[in-house]
Amino acid sequence: MAKMKKTEVKPFKEMLLALRARLRGDVSTLANAALSKSGGTGGGSSSVPSHIADLGSDTFEQDNTILLMNNEGETLQQIEHALERVEEGVYGSCTECSGKIPKMRLKAIPYTAFCVKCASEIESGQY
Ligand SMILES: [Zn+2]
């Protein structure tokens, strides 16, 4: 069982928390960043907005936006699950084969539950 040390997991946990905050409160920013799909153009996904708390008056607009972004809701779920794995101490292990997920991959998709191999099998349609 490949386990990550707590100190290794911490930055990823922070990324997950920041992502979750964005998805919950600042969907339009996320759309611009296209964090989940661009595959990392620009390279630095470490820029975390600190103005999330400023939101709040435009709840109605947000509701519409969220409806248009089902995918992001899925991402949010994946983030929740990833945070659960953090708490369980199994973050960084593939939930499919229990193999270690490379840090490079976790940096690109911190909420992924699968190693590269399993993810490509899943993406190729073998659900
Ligand atoms: Zn795997």
Side-chain angles (χ1 to χ4, degrees):
M1 188 85 182
K3 277 196 184 179
M4 285 172 80
K5 289 178 202 155
K6 269 202 174 152
T7 49
E8 285 180 302
V9 174
K10 196 168 176 260
F12 294 110
K13 183 181 177 181
E14 279 166 9
M15 276 169 78
L16 287 165
L17 289 171
L19 273 172
R20 186 173 67 171
R22 267 205 224 187
L23 282 168
R24 281 178 172 173
D26 197 356
V27 177
S28 55
T29 303
L30 185 90
N32 291 334
L35 271 168
S36 54
K37 305 201 173 52
S38 67
T41 47
S45 59
S46 59
S47 60
V48 174
S50 55
H51 57 271
I52 292 161
D54 293 347
L55 300 163
S57 56
D58 48 7
T59 316
F60 292 110
E61 283 173 41
Q62 271 184 37
D63 283 348
N64 284 333
T65 318
I66 287 164
L67 283 176
L68 295 170
M69 300 184 71
N70 276 331
N71 250 354
E72 309 305 337
E74 235 170 79
T75 306
L76 187 56
Q77 273 201 333
Q78 288 179 293
I79 291 168
E80 295 287 359
H81 290 150
L83 284 166
E84 279 170 28
R85 292 196 298 279
V86 169
E87 296 308 319
E88 287 163 15
V90 296
Y91 180 78
S93 300
C94 176
T95 59
E96 190 68 24
C97 70
S98 298
K100 193 176 180 184
I101 304 173
K103 276 194 194 163
M104 282 284 288
R105 177 169 171 75
L106 290 173
K107 275 180 189 164
I109 321 169
Y111 49 82
T112 188
F114 307 110
C115 67
V116 180
K117 186 172 154 283
C118 292
S120 68
E121 279 173 14
I122 288 161
E123 275 160 24
S124 65
Q126 301 178 30
Y127 268 94

Coordinates of all heavy atoms in Angstrom, one line a residue, residues 33-116:
A33 N -10.5 29.5 -15.9 CA -9.3 28.8 -15.6 C -9.4 27.4 -16.3 O -8.4 26.8 -16.7 CB -9.1 28.6 -14.1
A34 N -10.6 26.9 -16.4 CA -10.8 25.5 -17.0 C -9.8 24.5 -16.4 O -9.2 23.8 -17.1 CB -10.6 25.6 -18.5
L35 N -9.8 24.6 -15.1 CA -8.8 23.8 -14.4 C -8.8 22.3 -14.7 O -7.8 21.6 -14.8 CB -9.0 23.9 -12.9 CG -8.3 25.1 -12.2 CD1 -8.9 25.3 -10.8 CD2 -6.9 24.8 -12.1
S36 N -10.1 21.8 -14.9 CA -10.2 20.3 -15.0 C -9.9 19.8 -16.3 O -9.6 18.6 -16.5 CB -11.6 19.9 -14.5 OG -12.5 20.6 -15.3
K37 N -9.9 20.7 -17.4 CA -9.8 20.1 -18.7 C -8.6 20.6 -19.5 O -8.2 19.9 -20.4 CB -11.1 20.4 -19.4 CG -12.3 20.0 -18.7 CD -13.5 19.8 -19.5 CE -14.6 19.2 -18.6 NZ -14.8 19.9 -17.4
S38 N -8.1 21.7 -19.3 CA -7.1 22.2 -20.2 C -5.8 21.4 -20.2 O -5.0 21.6 -21.1 CB -6.8 23.7 -19.8 OG -6.1 23.7 -18.5
G39 N -5.6 20.6 -19.2 CA -4.4 19.8 -19.1 C -3.2 20.7 -18.8 O -2.1 20.3 -19.1
G40 N -3.5 21.8 -18.2 CA -2.4 22.6 -17.7 C -1.7 23.5 -18.7 O -0.5 23.5 -18.8
T41 N -2.4 24.3 -19.4 CA -1.8 25.4 -20.1 C -1.3 26.4 -19.1 O -1.9 26.6 -18.1 CB -2.8 26.0 -21.1 OG1 -4.0 26.3 -20.4 CG2 -3.1 25.1 -22.3
G42 N -0.2 27.0 -19.4 CA 0.3 28.0 -18.5 C 1.1 27.4 -17.3 O 1.8 28.1 -16.7
G43 N 0.8 26.2 -17.0 CA 1.7 25.5 -16.0 C 1.4 25.8 -14.6 O 1.2 24.8 -13.8
G44 N 1.2 27.0 -14.1 CA 1.1 27.3 -12.7 C -0.4 27.2 -12.2 O -1.1 28.2 -12.4
S45 N -0.8 26.2 -11.7 CA -2.2 26.1 -11.2 C -2.2 26.4 -9.7 O -3.1 26.1 -9.0 CB -2.8 24.7 -11.4 OG -2.0 23.7 -10.8
S46 N -1.2 27.0 -9.2 CA -1.0 27.3 -7.8 C -1.6 28.6 -7.4 O -1.7 28.9 -6.2 CB 0.4 27.2 -7.4 OG 1.1 28.2 -8.1
S47 N -2.1 29.4 -8.4 CA -2.7 30.7 -8.0 C -4.1 30.5 -7.5 O -5.0 30.1 -8.2 CB -2.7 31.6 -9.3 OG -3.5 31.0 -10.3
V48 N -4.2 30.7 -6.2 CA -5.4 30.5 -5.5 C -6.1 31.9 -5.2 O -5.4 32.7 -4.6 CB -5.2 29.7 -4.2 CG1 -6.5 29.7 -3.4 CG2 -4.7 28.4 -4.6
P49 N -7.3 32.1 -5.6 CA -7.9 33.4 -5.3 C -8.2 33.6 -3.9 O -8.6 32.6 -3.2 CB -9.2 33.4 -6.1 CG -9.5 31.9 -6.3 CD -8.2 31.2 -6.3
S50 N -7.9 34.7 -3.3 CA -8.1 35.0 -1.9 C -9.3 35.8 -1.7 O -9.6 36.3 -0.6 CB -6.9 35.6 -1.3 OG -6.6 36.8 -2.0
H51 N -10.1 36.1 -2.8 CA -11.2 37.0 -2.7 C -12.5 36.3 -2.7 O -13.6 36.9 -2.9 CB -11.2 38.0 -3.9 CG -11.2 37.2 -5.2 ND1 -10.1 36.8 -5.9 CD2 -12.2 36.8 -6.0 CE1 -10.4 36.2 -7.0 NE2 -11.7 36.2 -7.1
I52 N -12.5 35.0 -2.4 CA -13.7 34.2 -2.4 C -14.7 34.7 -1.5 O -15.9 34.7 -1.8 CB -13.3 32.7 -2.1 CG1 -12.5 32.1 -3.2 CG2 -14.6 31.9 -1.9 CD1 -11.7 30.9 -2.8
A53 N -14.3 35.2 -0.3 CA -15.2 35.7 0.7 C -16.0 36.9 0.2 O -17.0 37.3 0.8 CB -14.5 36.0 2.0
D54 N -15.5 37.6 -0.8 CA -16.1 38.8 -1.3 C -17.4 38.5 -2.0 O -18.3 39.4 -2.2 CB -15.2 39.6 -2.3 CG -14.0 40.1 -1.6 OD1 -13.9 40.1 -0.4 OD2 -13.1 40.5 -2.3
L55 N -17.6 37.3 -2.4 CA -18.8 37.0 -3.1 C -20.0 36.9 -2.2 O -19.8 36.9 -1.0 CB -18.7 35.6 -3.8 CG -17.5 35.5 -4.8 CD1 -17.2 34.1 -5.1 CD2 -17.9 36.2 -6.1
G56 N -21.2 36.8 -2.7 CA -22.3 36.6 -1.8 C -23.6 37.3 -2.2 O -24.7 36.8 -2.0
S57 N -23.5 38.4 -2.9 CA -24.7 39.2 -3.3 C -25.3 38.6 -4.6 O -26.5 38.9 -4.8 CB -24.3 40.6 -3.4 OG -23.3 40.8 -4.4
D58 N -24.6 37.9 -5.3 CA -25.1 37.5 -6.6 C -25.5 36.0 -6.6 O -25.1 35.2 -7.5 CB -24.1 37.8 -7.7 CG -22.7 37.3 -7.4 OD1 -22.5 36.7 -6.3 OD2 -21.8 37.7 -8.1
T59 N -26.2 35.6 -5.6 CA -26.5 34.2 -5.5 C -27.4 33.7 -6.7 O -27.2 32.6 -7.2 CB -27.3 33.9 -4.2 OG1 -26.6 34.6 -3.2 CG2 -27.3 32.4 -3.9
F60 N -28.3 34.5 -7.1 CA -29.2 34.1 -8.2 C -28.5 33.9 -9.5 O -28.8 32.9 -10.1 CB -30.3 35.2 -8.3 CG -31.2 35.3 -7.2 CD1 -31.2 36.4 -6.3 CD2 -32.1 34.2 -6.9 CE1 -32.1 36.4 -5.2 CE2 -33.0 34.3 -5.8 CZ -32.9 35.4 -4.9
E61 N -27.6 34.8 -9.8 CA -26.8 34.6 -11.0 C -26.1 33.3 -10.9 O -25.9 32.5 -11.9 CB -25.9 35.7 -11.2 CG -26.6 37.0 -11.8 CD -25.6 38.1 -11.8 OE1 -24.5 37.9 -12.2 OE2 -26.0 39.2 -11.4
Q62 N -25.5 33.0 -9.8 CA -24.7 31.8 -9.6 C -25.5 30.6 -9.8 O -25.0 29.6 -10.4 CB -24.2 31.8 -8.2 CG -22.8 32.5 -8.0 CD -22.3 32.4 -6.6 OE1 -22.4 31.3 -6.0 NE2 -21.7 33.4 -6.1
D63 N -26.8 30.6 -9.3 CA -27.6 29.4 -9.5 C -27.7 29.0 -11.0 O -27.6 27.9 -11.4 CB -29.0 29.6 -8.9 CG -28.9 29.5 -7.4 OD1 -27.9 29.0 -6.9 OD2 -29.9 29.9 -6.8
N64 N -27.9 30.0 -11.8 CA -28.0 29.8 -13.3 C -26.7 29.2 -13.8 O -26.7 28.3 -14.6 CB -28.3 31.1 -14.0 CG -29.8 31.5 -13.8 OD1 -30.6 30.6 -13.6 ND2 -30.1 32.7 -13.9
T65 N -25.6 29.8 -13.4 CA -24.3 29.4 -13.8 C -24.1 27.9 -13.5 O -23.6 27.1 -14.3 CB -23.2 30.2 -13.2 OG1 -23.6 31.6 -13.2 CG2 -21.9 30.1 -14.0
I66 N -24.5 27.6 -12.3 CA -24.2 26.2 -11.8 C -25.0 25.2 -12.6 O -24.5 24.2 -13.0 CB -24.5 26.1 -10.3 CG1 -23.4 26.8 -9.5 CG2 -24.6 24.6 -9.9 CD1 -23.8 27.1 -8.1
L67 N -26.2 25.6 -13.0 CA -27.0 24.7 -13.8 C -26.4 24.5 -15.2 O -26.5 23.4 -15.7 CB -28.4 25.4 -14.1 CG -29.4 25.3 -12.9 CD1 -30.7 26.0 -13.3 CD2 -29.7 23.8 -12.6
L68 N -25.7 25.5 -15.6 CA -25.0 25.3 -16.9 C -23.7 24.5 -16.8 O -23.1 24.1 -17.8 CB -24.7 26.7 -17.5 CG -25.8 27.5 -17.9 CD1 -25.4 28.9 -18.3 CD2 -26.6 26.9 -19.1
M69 N -23.3 24.2 -15.6 CA -22.0 23.6 -15.4 C -22.1 22.3 -14.6 O -21.5 22.1 -13.6 CB -21.1 24.6 -14.7 CG -20.9 25.8 -15.6 SD -19.7 26.9 -14.9 CE -18.2 26.0 -15.1
N70 N -22.9 21.4 -15.1 CA -23.0 20.1 -14.5 C -21.7 19.4 -14.2 O -21.5 18.8 -13.2 CB -23.9 19.2 -15.3 CG -25.4 19.4 -15.0 OD1 -25.7 19.8 -14.0 ND2 -26.2 19.2 -16.0
N71 N -20.9 19.6 -15.2 CA -19.5 19.0 -15.1 C -18.8 19.4 -13.9 O -18.1 18.6 -13.2 CB -18.7 19.4 -16.3 CG -18.5 18.2 -17.2 OD1 -18.9 17.1 -16.9 ND2 -17.9 18.4 -18.4
E72 N -18.9 20.7 -13.6 CA -18.2 21.2 -12.4 C -18.8 20.6 -11.1 O -18.1 20.4 -10.2 CB -18.2 22.7 -12.4 CG -17.8 23.4 -13.7 CD -16.5 22.9 -14.2 OE1 -15.7 22.4 -13.4 OE2 -16.2 23.0 -15.4
G73 N -20.1 20.3 -11.1 CA -20.7 19.7 -10.0 C -20.1 18.3 -9.8 O -19.8 17.9 -8.7
E74 N -19.8 17.6 -10.9 CA -19.1 16.3 -10.8 C -17.7 16.5 -10.2 O -17.3 15.7 -9.4 CB -19.0 15.7 -12.2 CG -19.6 14.4 -12.4 CD -19.7 14.0 -13.8 OE1 -18.7 13.6 -14.4 OE2 -20.8 14.1 -14.4
T75 N -17.1 17.5 -10.7 CA -15.7 17.8 -10.2 C -15.8 18.0 -8.7 O -14.9 17.5 -7.9 CB -15.1 19.0 -10.9 OG1 -15.2 18.8 -12.3 CG2 -13.7 19.2 -10.5
L76 N -16.8 18.8 -8.3 CA -16.9 19.1 -6.8 C -17.1 17.8 -6.0 O -16.5 17.6 -5.0 CB -18.1 20.0 -6.6 CG -18.4 20.5 -5.2 CD1 -17.2 21.3 -4.7 CD2 -19.6 21.5 -5.2
Q77 N -17.8 16.9 -6.6 CA -18.0 15.6 -5.9 C -16.6 14.8 -5.8 O -16.3 14.2 -4.8 CB -19.0 14.7 -6.7 CG -20.4 14.9 -6.3 CD -21.3 13.7 -6.7 OE1 -20.9 13.0 -7.6 NE2 -22.3 13.5 -5.9
Q78 N -15.9 14.9 -6.9 CA -14.6 14.2 -6.9 C -13.7 14.8 -5.9 O -12.9 14.2 -5.2 CB -14.0 14.3 -8.3 CG -14.7 13.4 -9.3 CD -14.0 13.5 -10.7 OE1 -14.1 14.6 -11.3 NE2 -13.4 12.5 -11.1
I79 N -13.8 16.2 -5.7 CA -13.0 16.9 -4.7 C -13.4 16.4 -3.3 O -12.5 16.2 -2.5 CB -13.1 18.4 -4.9 CG1 -12.5 18.8 -6.2 CG2 -12.5 19.1 -3.7 CD1 -12.8 20.3 -6.6
E80 N -14.7 16.3 -3.1 CA -15.2 15.9 -1.8 C -14.6 14.5 -1.5 O -14.1 14.2 -0.4 CB -16.7 15.8 -1.8 CG -17.4 17.2 -1.9 CD -17.3 18.0 -0.7 OE1 -16.7 17.6 0.3 OE2 -17.8 19.2 -0.7
H81 N -14.7 13.6 -2.5 CA -14.2 12.3 -2.2 C -12.7 12.3 -2.0 O -12.2 11.5 -1.2 CB -14.5 11.4 -3.4 CG -16.0 11.1 -3.5 ND1 -16.6 10.9 -4.7 CD2 -16.9 11.0 -2.6 CE1 -17.9 10.7 -4.5 NE2 -18.1 10.8 -3.2
A82 N -12.0 13.1 -2.7 CA -10.5 13.2 -2.5 C -10.2 13.7 -1.1 O -9.3 13.2 -0.5 CB -9.9 14.2 -3.6
L83 N -11.0 14.7 -0.6 CA -10.7 15.1 0.7 C -11.0 14.0 1.8 O -10.4 13.9 2.8 CB -11.6 16.4 1.0 CG -11.1 17.7 0.3 CD1 -12.2 18.8 0.3 CD2 -9.8 18.2 1.0
E84 N -12.0 13.2 1.5 CA -12.3 12.1 2.3 C -11.1 11.1 2.4 O -10.7 10.6 3.4 CB -13.5 11.3 1.9 CG -14.8 11.9 2.3 CD -16.0 11.3 1.6 OE1 -15.9 10.1 1.2 OE2 -17.0 12.0 1.4
R85 N -10.5 10.9 1.2 CA -9.3 10.1 1.1 C -8.1 10.7 1.9 O -7.3 10.0 2.4 CB -8.9 9.8 -0.3 CG -10.0 8.9 -1.1 CD -9.4 8.3 -2.3 NE -9.1 9.4 -3.3 CZ -9.9 10.0 -4.1 NH1 -11.2 9.7 -4.1 NH2 -9.5 10.9 -5.0
V86 N -8.1 12.0 1.8 CA -7.0 12.7 2.6 C -7.2 12.3 4.1 O -6.3 12.0 4.8 CB -7.1 14.2 2.4 CG1 -6.2 14.9 3.4 CG2 -6.6 14.6 1.0
E87 N -8.5 12.5 4.6 CA -8.7 12.2 6.0 C -8.5 10.8 6.3 O -8.1 10.4 7.4 CB -10.2 12.6 6.3 CG -10.5 14.0 6.1 CD -9.6 14.9 6.9 OE1 -9.2 14.6 8.0 OE2 -9.2 16.0 6.4
E88 N -8.7 9.9 5.4 CA -8.5 8.4 5.7 C -7.1 8.0 5.5 O -6.7 6.9 5.8 CB -9.4 7.6 4.7 CG -10.9 7.7 5.0 CD -11.7 7.2 3.9 OE1 -11.2 6.6 2.9 OE2 -12.9 7.5 3.9
G89 N -6.3 8.9 5.0 CA -4.9 8.7 4.9 C -4.5 7.8 3.6 O -3.5 7.2 3.6
V90 N -5.5 7.8 2.7 CA -5.2 7.0 1.5 C -5.1 7.8 0.3 O -5.1 7.3 -0.9 CB -6.3 5.9 1.3 CG1 -6.3 4.9 2.4 CG2 -7.7 6.6 1.2
Y91 N -5.0 9.1 0.5 CA -4.9 10.0 -0.7 C -3.6 9.7 -1.4 O -2.5 9.5 -0.8 CB -4.9 11.5 -0.2 CG -4.8 12.5 -1.4 CD1 -5.8 12.8 -2.2 CD2 -3.5 13.1 -1.6 CE1 -5.7 13.6 -3.2 CE2 -3.4 14.0 -2.7 CZ -4.5 14.2 -3.4 OH -4.4 15.1 -4.5
G92 N -3.6 9.7 -2.7 CA -2.4 9.4 -3.5 C -2.3 8.0 -4.0 O -1.4 7.7 -4.7
S93 N -3.3 7.2 -3.5 CA -3.4 5.8 -3.9 C -4.5 5.7 -4.9 O -5.6 6.2 -4.6 CB -3.5 4.9 -2.8 OG -2.5 5.0 -1.9
C94 N -4.3 4.9 -5.9 CA -5.4 4.6 -6.9 C -6.5 3.8 -6.2 O -6.2 2.8 -5.6 CB -4.8 3.9 -8.1 SG -6.0 3.4 -9.3
T95 N -7.7 4.3 -6.3 CA -8.8 3.5 -5.7 C -9.2 2.3 -6.5 O -9.9 1.4 -6.1 CB -10.1 4.4 -5.6 OG1 -10.5 4.8 -6.9 CG2 -9.9 5.6 -4.7
E96 N -8.6 2.2 -7.7 CA -8.9 1.1 -8.6 C -7.9 -0.1 -8.3 O -8.3 -1.2 -8.1 CB -8.9 1.5 -10.0 CG -9.4 0.5 -11.0 CD -10.9 0.3 -10.9 OE1 -11.6 1.1 -10.4 OE2 -11.3 -0.8 -11.3
C97 N -6.6 0.2 -8.4 CA -5.6 -0.8 -8.3 C -4.7 -0.7 -7.0 O -3.8 -1.4 -6.8 CB -4.8 -0.9 -9.5 SG -3.7 0.6 -9.7
S98 N -5.0 0.4 -6.2 CA -4.2 0.7 -5.0 C -2.8 1.1 -5.3 O -1.9 1.1 -4.4 CB -4.2 -0.5 -4.0 OG -5.5 -0.7 -3.6
G99 N -2.5 1.3 -6.6 CA -1.1 1.7 -7.0 C -0.9 3.2 -6.6 O -1.9 3.9 -6.3
K100 N 0.3 3.6 -6.7 CA 0.6 5.0 -6.3 C 0.3 5.9 -7.5 O 0.7 5.6 -8.6 CB 2.1 5.1 -5.9 CG 2.4 6.4 -5.2 CD 3.9 6.4 -4.8 CE 4.2 7.7 -4.1 NZ 5.7 7.7 -3.8
I101 N -0.4 7.0 -7.2 CA -0.6 8.0 -8.2 C 0.6 9.0 -8.3 O 0.9 9.6 -7.2 CB -1.9 8.8 -8.0 CG1 -3.1 7.8 -7.8 CG2 -2.2 9.8 -9.1 CD1 -4.4 8.5 -7.4
P102 N 1.2 9.2 -9.4 CA 2.4 10.0 -9.5 C 2.0 11.5 -9.1 O 0.9 11.9 -9.4 CB 2.8 10.0 -11.0 CG 2.1 8.8 -11.5 CD 0.9 8.6 -10.7
K103 N 3.0 12.1 -8.4 CA 2.7 13.5 -7.9 C 2.4 14.4 -9.1 O 1.6 15.3 -9.0 CB 3.9 14.0 -7.1 CG 3.8 13.5 -5.7 CD 4.8 14.2 -4.8 CE 4.9 13.5 -3.5 NZ 6.0 13.9 -2.7
M104 N 3.1 14.2 -10.2 CA 2.9 15.0 -11.4 C 1.4 15.0 -11.7 O 0.8 16.0 -12.1 CB 3.6 14.4 -12.6 CG 5.1 14.8 -12.6 SD 5.4 16.5 -13.1 CE 5.0 16.4 -14.8
R105 N 0.8 13.8 -11.6 CA -0.6 13.7 -12.0 C -1.5 14.4 -10.9 O -2.5 15.1 -11.2 CB -1.0 12.2 -12.1 CG -2.4 12.0 -12.3 CD -2.6 10.5 -12.7 NE -4.1 10.2 -12.8 CZ -4.8 10.6 -13.8 NH1 -4.3 11.2 -14.8 NH2 -6.1 10.3 -13.8
L106 N -1.1 14.2 -9.7 CA -1.9 14.9 -8.6 C -1.8 16.4 -8.7 O -2.8 17.1 -8.4 CB -1.4 14.4 -7.2 CG -1.6 12.9 -6.9 CD1 -0.9 12.6 -5.6 CD2 -3.1 12.7 -6.8
K107 N -0.7 16.9 -9.1 CA -0.6 18.3 -9.3 C -1.5 18.8 -10.4 O -2.1 19.9 -10.3 CB 0.9 18.7 -9.6 CG 1.7 18.8 -8.3 CD 3.1 19.2 -8.7 CE 4.0 19.1 -7.4 NZ 5.4 19.1 -7.8
A108 N -1.6 18.0 -11.4 CA -2.5 18.4 -12.5 C -3.9 18.2 -12.2 O -4.8 19.1 -12.5 CB -2.1 17.6 -13.8
I109 N -4.3 17.1 -11.5 CA -5.6 16.8 -11.2 C -5.7 16.3 -9.7 O -5.7 15.2 -9.4 CB -6.2 15.7 -12.1 CG1 -5.8 15.9 -13.5 CG2 -7.7 15.7 -12.0 CD1 -6.1 14.7 -14.4
P110 N -5.6 17.3 -8.8 CA -5.5 16.9 -7.4 C -6.6 16.0 -6.8 O -6.5 15.4 -5.8 CB -5.4 18.2 -6.6 CG -5.9 19.3 -7.6 CD -5.7 18.7 -8.9
Y111 N -7.8 16.0 -7.5 CA -8.9 15.2 -7.0 C -9.0 13.9 -7.7 O -10.0 13.2 -7.5 CB -10.2 16.0 -7.2 CG -10.4 16.6 -8.6 CD1 -10.8 15.8 -9.7 CD2 -10.0 17.9 -8.9 CE1 -11.0 16.3 -10.9 CE2 -10.2 18.4 -10.1 CZ -10.7 17.6 -11.2 OH -10.8 18.2 -12.4
T112 N -8.0 13.5 -8.5 CA -8.1 12.3 -9.2 C -8.1 11.1 -8.3 O -7.4 11.2 -7.2 CB -7.1 12.1 -10.3 OG1 -7.3 10.9 -11.1 CG2 -5.7 12.0 -9.7
A113 N -8.8 10.1 -8.6 CA -8.8 8.9 -7.7 C -8.1 7.7 -8.3 O -8.0 6.6 -7.8 CB -10.3 8.5 -7.4
F114 N -7.6 8.0 -9.5 CA -7.0 6.9 -10.3 C -5.6 7.2 -10.7 O -5.2 8.3 -11.0 CB -7.8 6.6 -11.5 CG -9.3 6.3 -11.2 CD1 -10.2 7.3 -11.6 CD2 -9.7 5.2 -10.5 CE1 -11.6 7.1 -11.3 CE2 -11.0 5.0 -10.2 CZ -11.9 5.9 -10.6
C115 N -4.8 6.1 -10.9 CA -3.5 6.3 -11.5 C -3.6 6.5 -13.0 O -4.7 6.3 -13.5 CB -2.6 5.1 -11.2 SG -3.2 3.5 -11.9
V116 N -2.6 6.8 -13.7 CA -2.6 7.1 -15.1 C -3.2 5.9 -15.8 O -4.1 6.0 -16.7 CB -1.2 7.4 -15.6 CG1 -1.3 7.7 -17.1 CG2 -0.6 8.5 -14.9

